[in-house]
Structures are given as structure tokens and as C-alpha cells.
Amino acid sequence: IVGPGLLAASVLGLHFLGMGAATLWPDTSVALPEDPFSGEEMMQAVGGIAIALNICAFLALVMLSRVREQSMSRLESVMQSMHDGVAYLDANRALVLWNRGFEEMLALAGLKVRAGDTIANLNAYTSHIAPVRTSGKLTQGETVERECLLPNGRFVRAAVRHTADGGYVINMVDA
């Protein structure tokens, strides 16, 4: 919000700089005070303000970038410290983010996680594993829960939920 605001102020500053370069002929019947600044001084002042605002906008963008990097680092730390398998798929149903627990759960089924895998790919990979129980329909916005018996005799419970941005979160637990 700060960055776009400063950018808009810079554009306005440049607009007024251009207007300051124009000379207007006032109505001689109206008494006007003497100009406190010459056109050159006004142009320099407005130009300096525009440059300062652009520098502030750039610094705000740098600060926002650093805050984003810190947030992503925290998220990565939290994701990797979770025992459950957790993955995020974007609105295109492509695998974007996952933790070691998710990799380990899929490894139990003999699968390897790859960035860009889709829900359809993951379903295809696990098609040889018959679900013991399934509930919900992802197309209706419900949470889909599935329990599977793996070839090694272990149960895995998976839940797929919609996210506010149109993506999906998969949570897997070794039951």
C-alpha cells in the first residue's frame, strides 16, 4: 500500500513539475502577489520532491521484499518441523510447497514428490492403493478424506481441503 501510494505521489509531483514549466498570463485586472519563487526554483523544488518520493517508493519495495522473505522463511521452518505430511497445491492444482513428512508419507507408497505434480498425478501414482474409506467431494468444496492401506500394512489418512486463494492443502497422517 505504501509503495503504490508513493508512486502515485511521484507521478503527481512530475505532473506539477511539468505544469510549473508552463507560463500563464494572468488577468491584469486582478491584483496578484509577487511570485515568491521563480519558475526555475519551483521546477527544482518539485523535481527534488519527485526524486525523493521515488527513492522512498523504492525503499518501501525493498522493505516489503525483505518482510516477504522472512515470512517465507518462517513458513518453511514451520512446515519442516511438522510431523504430519502437509502440501499446498495452487489454483491450477500444481504441487508448490510440501514438507518432509509429505515426502515420507508418499515414500511409504513408493512415490517421489516432484514440484508441479497435480492432484490428478498424485491420484494416478496412488491408483494401485485401494482406499479403505473415502468421504467428501472436492468438486463440491467439501473436505475429501481418504484412508488407505499401504502394501507394507500401514494405514495412511489423507485430507484435501480448499484454500481461500483457490488452491488446496493436503494433510497426511500415518494412522
Side-chain angles (χ1 to χ4, degrees):
I1 294 174
V2 174
L6 290 174
L7 180 62
S10 297
V11 169
L12 285 173
L14 290 174
H15 170 74
F16 288 118
L17 175 68
M19 288 184 66
T23 303
L24 302 175
W25 287 274
D27 183 1
T28 55
S29 64
V30 177
L32 296 175
E34 187 95 14
D35 283 339
F37 304 105
S38 70
E40 179 73 21
E41 291 171 331
M42 182 64 78
M43 183 178 70
Q44 289 174 353
V46 172
I49 290 169
I51 289 170
L53 288 172
N54 279 315
I55 290 170
C56 288
F58 174 76
L59 293 174
L61 289 174
V62 168
M63 288 177 9
L64 288 172
S65 175
R66 286 187 181 159
V67 166
R68 183 179 185 279
E69 287 174 14
Q70 289 172 348
S71 294
M72 289 303 292
S73 177
R74 276 191 218 109
L75 176 61
E76 180 72 21
S77 176
V78 167
M79 288 284 290
Q80 294 308 328
S81 67
M82 296 176 72
H83 176 71
D84 291 355
V86 178
Y88 169 74
L89 293 95
D90 63 16
N92 297 320
R93 298 184 176 194
L95 189 59
V96 176
L97 180 69
W98 64 90
N99 67 354
R100 280 188 299 271
F102 188 75
E103 287 182 8
E104 291 168 2
M105 295 290 170
L106 288 184
L108 291 173
L111 305 173
K112 179 147 178 65
V113 179
R114 295 183 307 238
D117 275 346
T118 63
I119 288 179
N121 290 354
L122 295 173
N123 285 337
Y125 299 154
T126 58
S127 63
H128 66 284
I129 302 170
V132 174
R133 183 182 68 81
T134 301
S135 66
K137 293 188 185 231
L138 200 56
T139 56
Q140 296 176 354
E142 298 175 13
T143 297
V144 174
E145 293 185 0
R146 179 182 287 175
E147 290 181 8
C148 296
L149 178 61
L150 300 179
N152 63 7
R154 294 171 78 172
F155 276 97
V156 172
R157 185 178 316 131
V160 181
R161 293 177 178 85
H162 286 275
T163 60
D165 64 353
Y168 304 89
V169 171
I170 299 175
N171 180 263
M172 299 178 80
V173 179
D174 188 2

